[in-house]
Amino acid sequence: MTAVHEGLDLAVLERFLADSGVTVHGELRAELISGGKSNLTYGLRDEKSHWVLRRPPTTGLTPSAHDVAREFRITSALKGTGVPVAPTVAQCEDDSVMGAPFTVVEFVDGRVVRSKADLDALGDDEIDRCVGELVRIIAELHNVDFEAVGLGGLGRPDGYVTRQVKLWASQWGRVKTRELPDLKRLHAALAESIPESPAPSIVHGDYRIDNTILDPNDPARVVAVVDWELSTLGDPLTDLAMMCVYRHPALDDILGFPAAWSSERLPAADDLVQRYATASGRDIANWNFYMGLAYLKLAVIAEGINHRWRAGATIGDGFDRAGEAVPDLVAAGLAALKGAHA
């Protein structure tokens, strides 16, 4: 019996891999790893190899949030730096092949800590060392010489934060399912208080523990950072703020399960910031602004999930509560701008 997979045609994929010089040994099989919230991710196997394919969702797209070709370019460039990534195999940017761009990378064996239950399998010392390594790696990413690794044309770092404020308000207009006056207030307040950015860097855009793969025998060792489709050149403090904002309890509603990164066993956002400042040597200035912007981003991401769920375009369960998180995130953003804890 041949399985049917959303957005994936195995016969077409096999021909594409052959044309790309990738040999498929025996029957090509696929298994959905994750889908609906962001990119569709499939594990692929033949008789000898194990790969991972990523492609955008089939509906409810925002213009830049699912750029797998960009992800492929970045991870290819980062090979050999201090940032661990999955080895790249092949990419397709032609929508006519399978309905959307897609990429194939080697499968990286390891432990993915997604849920609180996954995290609770680790001891306190393991968690502390793991968090230290996660912070070290994001600091390492921000210190990569992006010109030297061929990523100088990846983005336009000048004016990055100004464009981010405009972009996420525009994204809201595309995915909103209701009017939220407080979101307009948050956007207006951010637009009126844009700071001068530090020196630009590569930014991941979606960095937290479940977007990494840990060594199965040593959770303090990260063997690959994944989910690079939001990456660009920009302000490194936006990256740090997103990592901190993901500690908000609303992450559980966005992901549809008790998330590891929102666990009280992990250090608070203030601790993450201090660790980052030490590891990176960067000055953390205008922090309230960056946290407010990160909350705006996360609110729009949650509404995008809600939009796709209402359209019947999500795969799996746990998407029905994402929309409930949006007002809380907006309120947290407004509180952050005032220097209060939400």
Side-chain angles (χ1 to χ4, degrees):
M1 180 178 67
T2 302
V4 177
H5 301 292
E6 180 82 14
L8 180 64
D9 185 320
L10 288 177
V12 169
L13 176 60
E14 186 167 348
R15 288 194 297 270
F16 169 80
L17 289 174
D19 291 343
S20 302
V22 180
T23 302
V24 176
H25 299 275
E27 180 185 6
L28 186 64
R29 306 178 302 279
E31 179 182 5
L32 181 68
I33 296 175
S34 66
K37 300 182 182 71
S38 182
N39 285 312
L40 296 173
T41 304
Y42 286 98
L44 304 173
R45 290 181 182 270
D46 63 6
E47 299 306 319
K48 293 186 177 181
S49 301
H50 194 177
W51 304 293
V52 173
L53 179 144
R54 284 166 61 78
R55 58 148 290 158
T58 55
T59 59
L61 299 184
T62 51
S64 62
H66 308 278
D67 195 341
V68 294
R70 184 184 205 81
E71 179 179 40
F72 191 91
R73 176 186 175 191
I74 293 167
T75 53
S76 296
L78 288 174
K79 182 179 179 180
T81 70
V83 181
V85 292
T88 52
V89 176
Q91 71 166 326
C92 177
E93 298 184 77
D94 183 354
D95 290 4
S96 68
V97 174
M98 207 157 55
F102 62 90
T103 62
V104 180
V105 301
E106 290 184 18
F107 175 81
V108 176
D109 187 28
R111 178 188 306 203
V112 178
V113 178
R114 291 192 177 92
S115 68
K116 287 185 174 66
D118 295 333
L119 190 74
D120 287 344
L122 305 180
D124 290 343
D125 178 66
E126 290 176 317
I127 290 175
D128 185 69
R129 290 188 299 114
C130 178
V131 170
E133 181 67 356
L134 291 170
V135 172
R136 186 197 67 79
I137 286 174
I138 193 172
E140 183 81 18
L141 173 67
H142 294 163
N143 287 330
V144 167
D145 184 338
F146 53 82
E147 295 282 1
V149 298
L151 293 176
L154 182 66
R156 296 179 294 130
D158 291 344
Y160 172 78
V161 171
T162 299
R163 292 195 305 275
Q164 282 283 291
V165 172
K166 293 179 179 177
L167 170 65
W168 288 96
S170 176
Q171 302 282 54
W172 171 260
R174 292 184 177 92
V175 301
K176 67 180 180 179
T177 62
R178 62 297 191 38
E179 296 294 335
L180 283 182
D182 277 354
L183 189 135
K184 293 182 179 180
R185 287 179 54 215
L186 176 57
H187 171 249
L190 290 167
E192 292 172 359
S193 56
I194 294 172
E196 182 177 351
S197 289
S201 73
I202 303 169
V203 296
H204 181 276
D206 199 20
Y207 191 79
R208 58 180 189 257
I209 192 171
D210 52 309
N211 282 338
T212 68
I213 301 173
L214 309 180
D215 186 306
N217 299 313
D218 181 6
R221 177 173 175 262
V222 176
V223 293
V225 178
V226 298
D227 286 4
W228 291 89
E229 69 269 17
L230 293 176
S231 299
T232 188
L233 301 182
D235 188 326
L237 296 185
T238 63
D239 227 8
L240 177 62
M242 280 303 294
M243 181 178 71
C244 291
V245 161
Y246 280 137
R247 294 284 289 113
H248 193 282
L251 185 63
D252 293 358
D253 292 331
I254 292 169
L255 297 182
F257 57 85
W261 197 242
S262 65
S263 171
E264 294 182 355
R265 294 188 65 200
L266 294 173
D270 289 347
D271 183 280
L272 296 176
V273 173
Q274 290 304 314
R275 292 188 189 212
Y276 174 86
T278 300
S280 68
R282 292 179 182 269
D283 180 34
I284 311 299
N286 304 298
W287 187 238
N288 294 345
F289 169 86
Y290 288 102
M291 288 293 282
L293 176 57
Y295 276 119
L296 173 66
K297 292 181 184 181
L298 193 55
V300 176
I301 290 168
E303 186 72 353
I305 296 167
N306 184 45
H307 174 86
R308 293 198 297 275
W309 174 72
R310 289 175 178 274
T314 51
I315 298 174
D317 299 322
F319 300 93
D320 55 313
R321 293 171 55 195
E324 297 176 14
V326 177
D328 289 343
L329 292 167
V330 172
L334 290 168
L337 281 178
K338 296 177 182 178
H341 289 284

